[in-house]
Amino acid sequence: LRVETVRETLREELDLLLVDEFQDTSPIQLDIFLQISQLARHSIWVGDPKQSIYGFRGAEPALMKAIIHATGGVKDENILKKSWRSRPDIVYATNAIFERAFEGMPREQIVLEPAINDDGLGFRVESETLGSTINPPPSTALHHWHFRSELDERRPPGAPWFDNCIADQVRILLERKPLIFNKKRDQTRPIRPGDIAILCRSNRQCLSMADALHRAGLKAAIARNGLLETPEAKLAIACLKYLLTPSDSLAAAEVLFLTGSLDLEEIVERRLKYLSENSDSPIYGGGWGDAPILDHLLALRHRTADLSASEILNLILEELDLRRAAIQLGNPDQRLDNLDRLRRYALDYESACQRLHSAASLGGFLLWLNQLANNELDAQGSGETEDSVKVLTYHRSKGLEYPLTICHALEQNLKEQVWGLNLVSEVEAPDLDNILGNRWLRFWVNPYADQLRNTPLEAALSQTEESAEARRTALEEEARLLYVGLTRARDYLVFPTTGKGTGWLNRVFSHGDDSIPTLDPNSDETPFYHAEMPVPIETEIIYKPKDFPETLPDESPVKYHATRQGKSPKIRPPLWIDTQHEMPPGIEATLGAPVAWGNWLEFKGEYEPAIGKAVATFLMADDPTLAHSARLAVAQKQLQIRGVTEQVSAEHLLRQSEEFRAFLEQKFQPKKVLGKYAAESLLLNPSPTGKAGSRLLKLEADLFLKTEKGWVVIAFAPFAEGMKKWKQLAIGLAPGLAWWQALKKRSDDLESSDRLVECWVVFGLEGQGVEVGFYVS
């Protein structure tokens, strides 16, 4: 932009420069904008300094202030003076909070007037097109949910408890069905989950909040990374890789496995057989036998020669009907949203190639996706639907609006950015003629990490101007962030609190002092005044238990169109029955109450899946006839194999097994106990219609007991978080147990005197078990 020939060309071409969201400008961006503004005939810069929340990306509110000052200030006609989004009480409360928080800003740039007047008698819209009187929502706009523990009112439990409280109250709110307005504000309707947004300070808080909503039986729409780790994206990418390189055996195996064409054991068996028979061949892409989906992909190859990456992706999605395969994995809205996100990435890649004047190819797209994943930028789809509560950070909510907004994390402590990398300016105000000058990078290393508190270094640092400046910057940033959060609300704004208070809100309202409480759980008045009257708030003190029961989410079958006729071959069930997901036709499962057979197995630190695998494996393999020392050695070896010797002791593991074996002996008096007992059979017409033909069944019981009365089949479940998830895990293992019933009825290789007596799911870490029963529906 400083090359004269470039400037001459742009001066002839540029008519208008429009800069949106100017408050989020970084120094390098402003330098570019200023250079272009000198060349364009007209410039319009739009922004709101109250919403500059991207300091971590290099945005500097001081830059916008400098531009405003250099251009003679903001003209009155250029200031937005009305809020067309929020109900009056939300606008009045926001005015009261931020007129104090943004002291250095002119009042007319802070205070808004509601374009919507709600006087409690009617709902009047100041608009020629909408002007009429409409019934208002039956509730106040501001709500305060104050949660207290049933066990101890003064000391609330930890963070998951607060998330569970909010999720449970959202469930209750949806049952109450408060009314909200439609977009045009001419009708009301009951609120739906998709109308609710919960704003969090960090992505980690979002994940915790989403988990709490799932435990409450609600769906959560949450943006997260890791798209390439989802099975639906892996399947689509594996298909692309196989189209690109048919000799890619890993891609072929992923396609076969993820579509359910072959199970893992068959894939490995066929692959090893092929390699042993073709050890001298330089080509390693075959050996899959009858694999129609791979044949279909090979048949499509000739059609992809002149197609772009996005067109090839669309081709395989349609021709292979991959959306149907994704839906069958569960959580269909999220799966489909992820596939759409992958399609959007293909278009983004092609746009990037066009801008850089480089060639776009299928191989280039796959490498570009890997780079996104390596940088943790492969965002999944949010899975937003009308029945999903939105969970997102305050930063992500910017520019959006929600009928009901819940502001989480109001108790958050101030986080000053003293350590690490900081940009330091040597002048008080930016020099618009030298934006990038007079600046340097300061990098301070914290030598104590988390142990800094109460050290002489901290005491000395707290007295410095650098510390004071970092605190001022953090206070200003969090005030702007809270402004963004509160102004997202349209019909209702909810403040959830516990006994920890609202430190963040307190600091914003009280000039950085978080010791002065803002919201009183015992009052319906607020310190937010409008027209010399406090803005009302509906306060509700809510007592919640320490532990919340887990509600299973709705897993109703997804309705989708029948397979297209004439284009795809007739879809038949796979030859092998999927015992992990398929139930025998006409069979339903019932769960008994948990039965304790031992104590909770002690382990140190956070739970890891390897701990559960070590426990289950030893409970299967332990031989009570061996000497105690030999059994202890086996337990120690299993913990070493799993790499969890630091978390679990061999003595505790052996004691858990002894209690489990004592339970089996007392309950069943087994004649024989077999670990990893396998069985196979051919079942005729195992489908509701009876037209599916014969299918093969392969089963493996974790423990198989032969008793005087018949069989007992036991499946080990992973860690149930202290039996919070026992129902969900037991139901997930029910199909595999149910097929033992079908096997018994049809198999000829078992003794005629045998019959299936009981099926059990055992929770090895919790020391409990649950009987699973079955009945004909």
Side-chain angles (χ1 to χ4, degrees):
L1 289 172
R2 291 187 174 90
V3 176
E4 190 55 38
T5 54
V6 174
R7 295 174 65 85
E8 286 297 325
T9 302
L10 292 177
R11 190 175 286 114
E12 296 176 1
E13 295 180 351
L14 293 179
D15 187 50
L16 172 66
L17 168 65
L18 177 59
V19 179
D20 196 14
E21 303 287 1
F22 175 51
Q23 73 278 354
D24 295 325
T25 300
S26 66
I28 184 69
Q29 291 171 327
L30 179 58
D31 200 16
I32 293 171
F33 299 159
L34 287 173
Q35 295 294 328
I36 297 176
S37 68
Q38 297 170 10
L39 308 175
R41 296 179 179 86
H42 306 280
S43 292
I44 300 175
W45 297 22
V46 183
D48 181 359
K50 302 187 297 300
Q51 297 191 51
S52 180
I53 59 174
Y54 290 109
F56 61 92
R57 294 182 184 172
E60 287 190 38
L63 300 178
M64 187 173 184
K65 292 179 183 178
I67 292 293
I68 291 173
H69 179 74
T71 54
V74 179
K75 297 179 181 179
D76 186 67
E77 63 267 23
N78 289 336
I79 300 174
L80 180 68
K81 298 180 179 179
K82 289 188 177 182
S83 169
W84 295 90
R85 171 182 298 152
S86 305
R87 291 172 62 190
D89 283 350
I90 297 175
V91 177
Y92 297 148
T94 305
N95 289 342
I97 294 170
F98 294 100
E99 193 175 358
R100 291 166 58 99
F102 302 137
E103 285 184 302
M105 189 178 295
R107 184 177 186 275
E108 61 271 14
Q109 295 183 24
I110 302 172
V111 174
L112 296 174
E113 287 296 323
I116 303 155
N117 286 333
D118 178 6
D119 56 12
L121 299 174
F123 193 87
R124 187 170 67 258
V125 180
E126 294 182 0
S127 169
E128 295 179 359
T129 57
L130 301 180
S132 60
T133 300
I134 310 164
N135 291 330
S139 176
T140 56
L142 299 179
H143 289 256
H144 178 196
W145 293 348
H146 185 72
F147 299 110
R148 290 178 178 171
S149 172
E150 292 178 349
L151 297 178
D152 188 344
E153 293 185 12
R154 295 171 297 178
R155 301 178 65 181
W161 179 82
F162 187 32
D163 294 339
N164 288 332
C165 288
I166 295 174
D168 193 55
Q169 197 62 22
V170 168
R171 178 186 60 78
I172 294 172
L173 175 78
L174 291 169
E175 292 174 354
R176 293 174 178 173
K177 298 181 179 179
L179 299 179
I180 65 165
F181 285 96
N182 62 358
K183 191 70 174 176
K184 294 183 178 180
R185 299 185 183 274
D186 56 1
Q187 292 180 352
T188 60
R189 62 168 175 79
I191 197 169
R192 294 192 286 254
D195 301 318
I196 301 172
I198 303 176
L199 308 186
C200 304
R201 283 295 293 267
S202 66
N203 289 321
R204 180 176 295 181
Q205 279 185 351
C206 287
L207 292 172
S208 177
M209 189 66 245
D211 288 341
L213 289 168
H214 293 154
R215 286 192 291 270
L218 301 171
K219 294 180 180 179
I222 176 174
R224 69 187 84 183
N225 296 328
L227 174 66
L228 268 61
E229 292 301 314
T230 63
E232 59 274 14
K234 283 187 174 182
L235 174 57
I237 291 171
C239 290
L240 294 177
K241 289 179 178 179
Y242 189 75
L243 275 176
L244 182 67
T245 311
S247 61
D248 188 339
S249 57
L250 177 59
E254 287 181 320
V255 171
L256 294 171
F257 178 72
L258 292 170
T259 56
S261 302
L262 295 175
D263 63 26
L264 194 57
E265 291 182 359
E266 274 192 290
I267 290 173
V268 174
E269 185 178 337
R270 293 189 183 190
R271 188 70 187 144
L272 290 175
K273 181 179 179 183
Y274 175 81
L275 291 176
S276 65
E277 294 175 352
N278 299 271
S279 57
D280 298 330
S281 173
I283 299 175
Y284 295 100
W288 304 114
D290 184 20
I293 190 168
L294 297 182
D295 295 339
H296 198 167
L297 278 169
L298 289 175
L300 293 175
R301 270 198 101 210
H302 73 281
R303 296 170 53 183
T304 63
D306 299 322
L307 299 182
S308 66
S310 62
E311 290 171 330
I312 296 173
L313 179 59
N314 288 330
L315 178 68
I316 65 167
L317 288 174
E318 295 299 325
E319 290 290 333
L320 301 180
D321 208 4
L322 294 188
R323 291 184 183 87
R324 189 185 302 269
I327 283 175
Q328 293 170 349
L329 296 171
N331 197 3
D333 296 313
Q334 181 70 57
R335 306 291 184 191
L336 295 177
D337 212 358
N338 284 342
L339 289 177
D340 280 343
R341 179 59 64 97
L342 193 62
R343 294 174 64 235
R344 196 170 85 184
Y345 277 144
L347 296 174
D348 289 346
Y349 162 73
E350 290 165 6
S351 297
C353 290
Q354 188 175 17
R355 288 196 305 271
L356 298 173
H357 303 289
S358 62
S361 64
L362 180 56
F365 173 54
L366 294 172
L367 291 173
W368 188 78
L369 285 177
N370 278 340
Q371 188 175 7
L372 280 182
N374 291 337
N375 294 324
E376 298 184 355
L377 296 175
D378 55 332
Q380 297 187 41
S382 61
E384 291 188 8
T385 60
E386 289 185 352
D387 59 349
S388 298
V389 178
K390 298 175 177 66
V391 182
L392 67 167
T393 62
Y394 284 84
H395 288 90
R396 283 184 183 270
S397 72
K398 188 164 173 283
L400 305 174
E401 69 173 48
Y402 309 98
L404 188 146
T405 301
I406 300 173
C407 290
H408 196 346
L410 294 177
E411 78 286 355
Q412 191 91 15
N413 295 323
L414 183 67
K415 295 183 178 179
E416 304 99 324
Q417 176 67 15
V418 179
W419 303 108
L421 197 63
N422 284 277
L423 185 66
V424 180
S425 176
E426 295 180 337
V427 294
E428 291 187 5
D431 182 358
L432 298 183
D433 295 324
N434 185 19
I435 293 294
L436 300 180
N438 305 313
R439 299 165 180 272
W440 52 282
L441 294 175
R442 185 190 74 208
F443 182 55
W444 281 359
V445 179
N446 177 1
Y448 297 110
D450 294 338
Q451 308 300 318
L452 177 70
R453 189 174 297 277
N454 299 323
T455 62
L457 176 60
E458 184 195 36
L461 185 65
S462 65
Q463 304 300 317
T464 63
E465 176 57 32
E466 287 83 358
S467 178
E469 177 61 27
R471 178 175 174 80
R472 283 194 297 270
T473 301
L475 288 171
E476 292 171 358
E477 178 95 5
E478 70 169 9
R480 296 190 294 266
L481 187 62
L482 186 61
Y483 179 83
V484 168
L486 300 191
T487 53
R488 300 310 95 200
R490 195 188 75 184
D491 297 339
Y492 302 100
L493 177 60
V494 179
F495 300 96
T497 67
T498 66
K500 294 181 179 179
T502 57
W504 181 14
L505 180 60
N506 297 348
R507 287 190 298 275
V508 172
F509 188 66
S510 300
H511 311 293
D513 188 350
D514 57 11
S515 64
I516 304 174
T518 306
L519 297 178
D520 184 355
N522 300 307
S523 174
D524 286 340
E525 291 187 358
T526 66
F528 318 138
Y529 275 74
H530 172 72
E532 299 183 354
M533 293 291 293
V535 179
I537 191 169
E538 186 176 304
T539 300
E540 192 175 358
I541 297 178
I542 308 163
Y543 288 87
K544 296 292 186 182
K546 181 180 179 181
D547 296 317
F548 289 78
E550 183 161 353
T551 305
L552 292 177
D554 180 19
E555 297 292 350
S556 302
V558 178
K559 298 179 180 179
Y560 45 82
H561 294 295
T563 306
R564 290 165 296 184
Q565 298 297 318
K567 294 193 70 174
S568 301
K570 185 177 180 181
I571 301 298
R572 295 183 179 274
L575 177 62
W576 288 95
I577 295 172
D578 182 3
T579 57
Q580 292 185 348
H581 303 97
E582 286 187 64
M583 285 286 285
I587 298 296
E588 298 287 341
T590 61
L591 302 179
V595 175
W597 49 261
N599 298 311
W600 185 315
L601 178 64
E602 298 178 16
F603 60 85
K604 298 178 183 178
E606 296 290 330
Y607 171 75
E608 300 175 13
I611 296 175
K613 292 179 180 178
V615 173
T617 302
F618 184 69
L619 293 185
M620 293 178 217
D622 185 26
D623 186 354
T625 63
L626 297 177
H628 182 273
S629 59
R631 296 171 66 191
L632 191 63
V634 173
Q636 183 66 30
K637 185 65 175 178
Q638 179 56 219
L639 295 174
Q640 289 175 352
I641 292 172
R642 302 293 181 181
V644 292
T645 53
E646 297 295 326
Q647 291 90 337
V648 183
S649 74
E651 291 82 2
H652 290 165
L653 181 56
L654 180 55
R655 185 180 62 194
Q656 195 80 349
S657 177
E658 288 173 343
E659 292 177 348
F660 176 59
R661 293 288 173 158
F663 166 75
L664 295 182
E665 188 63 35
Q666 181 181 0
K667 177 76 175 175
F668 304 110
Q669 296 88 44
K671 296 187 295 182
K672 189 179 294 185
V673 179
L674 304 172
K676 286 297 181 182
Y677 183 80
E680 292 186 20
S681 181
L682 177 68
L683 303 187
L684 301 176
N685 300 331
S687 70
T689 61
K691 298 179 180 180
S694 301
R695 298 179 67 189
L696 294 175
L697 176 66
K698 181 188 291 183
L699 291 172
E700 188 175 70
D702 291 341
L703 274 184
F704 186 88
L705 279 58
K706 286 198 171 188
T707 71
E708 293 290 345
K709 298 179 179 179
W711 308 346
V712 176
V713 177
I714 293 175
F716 285 100
F719 185 46
E721 298 182 10
M723 298 304 285
K724 291 180 181 179
K725 293 185 175 182
W726 73 270
K727 287 186 179 179
Q728 180 180 347
L729 295 174
I731 286 294
L733 293 170
L737 297 173
W739 281 105
W740 283 96
Q741 297 271 16
L743 176 65
K744 172 57 192 165
K745 292 179 181 178
R746 295 175 171 86
S747 181
D748 296 327
D749 61 350
L750 298 169
E751 301 173 19
S752 59
S753 61
D754 288 345
R755 63 184 180 86
L756 189 62
V757 178
E758 293 180 16
C759 294
W760 282 73
V761 172
V762 169
F763 301 90
L765 277 88
E766 288 84 358
Q768 298 195 48
V770 174
E771 184 177 1
V772 183
F774 302 97
Y775 66 93
V776 179
S777 60

